[in-house]
Amino acid sequence: NFGFDFRSLAIDKQVQRTGKGDRNVLSTYYDLFTAYQSKDSTYRLFFNVARNNMRVDEYGGVKVSDEDNRPAYFVKDRVPFLTEAESRDLRLNIHLFHQYEIGSALQVYHKFDRKSQVNTFIDDSTKVPKGYYDYDEVDSSKVHDETKFTTIRNEVGVKGNLSKLFYNGYYALRNYDMAYQYIDTDTLPIATKGTEHYLGGRMELQLDSIFLLSGWAEILDNGNFRIEGALKSKWLEVTLKENKYNAGFIQQAYRGAHDVWSNDFSPISVTQLNGYLHYRSQNFHVAPGLTFTRLSNYVFFKEDLSLVPQKVLPVQAKGSNIIFSPEVKLSVTFSNITLRGNVILNSLIENSEDAIRLPDVFANGQISYANIFVHGNFDIQVGFDVHWQSDYNAMGYDVPTQQFYTQNRFRSPAFPIVDAFFNAKIIRGRIFVKYNNLVQAFTKDGYFPTPRYPGQSNVVDFGFDWSFFD
């Protein structure tokens, strides 16, 4: 068999919009896929190609004379800093999986993945307000920064089921290539092209239909590794993750129109423990839980106003960052009405370099009505989503590199975001309509996901999908 998917996003501007069709975001995604198996099902093959191209107008935030004058960010005639800046992201993935089954206890397989990502930033320097960028590295009136990252991974392994145990062992070979437009890679302290070797294994054990125990371990030839384990049951859910990995290429080295750096950071270590207790009945579900996260040698982008000339650079925390986050999930259903809620309390036990920025309280809620009509062919759901978080210093946004950084100049205030929605499924088609940020329609005030960038205004979103098969 074979098939394809196509998805398009067309999002109008909300800052200095000239009219309908004046897009802030345009995205086109499509994939082609096929599957084949022999008549006796001993050989199976799956193949797909996926391409996604996204273009975003980078407006650089809203220009106001006083950054603390919050109402000025939400007036109708607000003015952006940038008018010609644009970022593009093009990704192409090719995936092949095929296996030969010797028996239920043993299958041999091969998996191939090729992934490429091209990131581009374009701007006209002659139309940028003086002082918006803190530094000019590449002297050009027409900015065109570009990086390309390509990986090819081949994995061979065995897997199978032994009674209640599923097992999988594999070896993988991964080639990577990071290409910078303005950097001679021979001068860097890191390798931008090379080959990695992985050994890994997975397992899953079903214990008397009560507990499900699973694990995954993978080690890289340079000593980095990933270990994950999970225990799930009707009443308990626990996951443990331990990772050691290198900083990303953009954190290690970069050169563009307004940025340049070269680093040789130590590997980063992460330990995360997450657990929930569950109580379920026919109409009620409550799940108290907690997440404990510890980061060592964490790498992040930081704004330092004392630096000259570049103010935003990647840095590595010298100590540890420890986050303790208890939470509770709740769901209540009566008749066709459902109430859902989730509250997370964040506590930074240790925060080296003040690298982690989180609101103290994070809450989501929903009330909805759902029903099925016309002999099961017409499903509807209607209701409200609510999100609220306490005020905090949200991460700033660096336009040329599309990276977020810690900052202390702008505090994002608490604000309730309320969305009204309607979803419907008619045979094989689905539609949705959502009115975003209902509160702003009455208060003329809004929220800030990142400094100087007002959040989504009160606006209607709609969409649909249709499956063309019988």
Side-chain angles (χ1 to χ4, degrees):
N1 59 57
F2 66 92
F4 69 91
D5 293 302
F6 177 84
R7 291 196 289 271
S8 177
L9 288 175
I11 302 173
D12 278 5
K13 294 178 181 177
Q14 292 195 325
V15 175
Q16 210 172 63
R17 177 172 176 258
T18 59
K20 185 177 180 181
D22 186 11
R23 307 298 192 193
N24 182 57
V25 176
L26 277 174
S27 173
T28 303
Y29 168 90
Y30 61 83
D31 63 50
L32 305 171
F33 58 88
T34 186
Y36 167 81
Q37 67 180 37
S38 59
K39 290 184 178 181
D40 59 1
S41 298
T42 56
Y43 178 77
R44 298 184 182 187
L45 179 146
F46 306 91
F47 177 79
N48 68 71
V49 178
R51 184 181 188 273
N52 188 38
N53 188 21
M54 177 172 284
R55 179 186 65 78
V56 178
D57 277 359
E58 299 279 4
Y59 69 89
V62 170
K63 186 190 302 185
V64 297
S65 57
D66 180 4
E67 284 191 352
D68 292 327
N69 182 15
R70 304 305 166 92
Y73 288 93
F74 300 100
V75 296
K76 186 176 181 180
D77 57 349
R78 51 195 170 172
V79 177
F81 276 98
L82 305 176
T83 58
E84 303 296 324
E86 178 182 306
S87 62
R88 300 174 183 174
D89 190 89
L90 173 62
R91 305 190 185 197
L92 178 65
N93 297 338
I94 302 173
H95 173 76
L96 167 70
F97 176 88
H98 56 139
Q99 72 170 40
Y100 182 78
E101 182 174 339
I102 299 171
S104 62
L106 180 62
Q107 300 104 45
V108 294
Y109 71 89
H110 167 244
K111 183 164 63 172
F112 169 87
D113 286 285
R114 184 189 185 278
K115 299 180 179 180
S116 66
Q117 178 181 358
V118 180
N119 184 273
T120 308
F121 174 70
I122 300 170
D123 199 4
D124 185 347
S125 297
T126 63
K127 298 184 180 181
V128 176
K130 186 178 180 180
Y132 181 80
Y133 297 119
D134 55 13
Y135 179 66
D136 292 320
E137 169 67 16
V138 178
D139 186 15
S140 175
S141 61
K142 299 296 182 181
V143 175
H144 190 279
D145 299 342
E146 187 171 283
T147 59
K148 182 177 181 180
F149 184 56
T150 305
T151 65
I152 297 176
R153 175 175 167 130
N154 281 282
E155 178 181 317
V156 292
V158 296
K159 61 187 181 73
N161 292 283
L162 299 172
S163 184
K164 298 179 180 180
L165 173 69
F166 166 81
Y167 73 93
N168 170 215
Y170 62 87
Y171 163 76
L173 182 72
R174 180 176 181 259
N175 297 293
Y176 64 89
D177 184 3
M178 180 68 175
Y180 295 94
Q181 183 175 3
Y182 296 115
I183 294 181
D184 179 2
T185 56
D186 292 337
T187 65
L188 296 178
I190 59 170
T192 59
K193 182 183 296 185
T195 302
E196 298 172 332
H197 301 268
Y198 296 82
L199 281 177
R202 301 178 181 89
M203 59 80 65
E204 189 172 284
L205 179 63
Q206 184 75 52
L207 300 174
D208 299 328
S209 302
I210 299 177
F211 289 102
L212 178 64
L213 179 66
S214 62
W216 178 20
E218 184 177 79
I219 186 169
L220 185 57
D221 56 351
N222 64 4
N224 290 342
F225 63 88
R226 170 188 295 180
I227 300 174
E228 297 182 10
L231 178 65
K232 296 182 180 180
S233 75
K234 182 179 179 180
W235 312 280
L236 177 67
E237 181 180 350
V238 180
T239 59
L240 174 65
K241 299 179 181 180
E242 180 82 24
N243 286 8
K244 184 181 179 184
Y245 61 95
N246 290 338
F249 275 110
I250 195 170
Q251 298 167 330
Q252 301 266 28
Y254 184 77
R255 185 170 185 254
H258 305 289
D259 300 276
V260 61
W261 55 76
S262 177
N263 302 299
D264 189 10
F265 291 131
S266 301
I268 304 159
S269 297
V270 180
T271 302
Q272 187 174 75
L273 175 65
N274 174 261
Y276 295 95
L277 293 173
H278 292 278
Y279 171 77
R280 290 184 176 91
S281 65
Q282 184 175 356
N283 300 313
F284 180 76
H285 175 215
V286 61
L290 64 87
T291 301
F292 175 87
T293 305
R294 183 180 184 273
L295 300 160
S296 298
N297 296 328
Y298 181 58
V299 175
F300 64 103
F301 283 83
K302 178 180 181 180
E303 180 185 60
D304 188 344
L305 300 178
S306 66
L307 295 177
V308 178
Q310 294 184 82
K311 308 297 183 186
V312 176
L313 290 170
V315 298
Q316 185 161 43
K318 298 177 181 179
S320 296
N321 302 87
I322 301 176
I323 310 164
F324 183 75
S325 302
E327 65 176 296
V328 63
K329 299 177 182 179
L330 181 68
S331 176
V332 180
T333 300
F334 49 93
S335 186
N336 296 100
I337 298 175
T338 300
L339 295 171
R340 295 186 179 91
N342 175 216
V343 177
I344 303 174
L345 306 178
N346 294 307
S347 177
L348 296 173
I349 299 175
E350 189 174 345
N351 195 11
S352 176
E353 308 282 344
D354 201 20
I356 305 299
R357 303 298 173 90
L358 290 170
D360 293 336
V361 182
F362 186 95
N364 288 317
Q366 182 187 94
I367 180 170
S368 63
Y369 169 84
N371 211 337
I372 302 175
F373 303 96
V374 193
H375 308 293
N377 292 316
F378 181 46
D379 300 11
I380 67 164
Q381 184 191 34
V382 61
F384 295 90
D385 282 322
V386 180
H387 169 76
W388 182 89
Q389 62 192 34
S390 56
D391 62 328
Y392 76 115
N393 289 339
M395 303 282 279
Y397 177 64
D398 184 63
V399 173
T401 60
Q402 296 111 60
Q403 299 296 308
F404 290 89
Y405 60 88
T406 61
Q407 57 82 35
N408 297 310
R409 292 188 294 165
F410 191 103
R411 194 161 183 85
S412 295
F415 184 84
I417 303 172
V418 180
D419 302 330
F421 64 87
F422 172 80
N423 303 318
K425 180 176 181 294
I426 308 171
I427 309 177
R428 287 178 294 277
R430 294 185 296 174
I431 62 171
F432 76 86
V433 179
K434 182 169 73 170
Y435 190 92
N436 295 274
N437 203 352
L438 187 63
V439 174
Q440 188 170 341
F442 300 97
T443 64
K444 308 303 178 184
D445 196 6
Y447 65 100
F448 295 87
T450 190
R452 298 190 299 188
Y453 283 80
Q456 190 172 32
S457 303
N458 51 302
V459 66
V460 175
D461 283 344
F462 68 92
F464 67 92
D465 69 63
W466 193 275
S467 298
F468 295 95
F469 63 85
D470 188 357

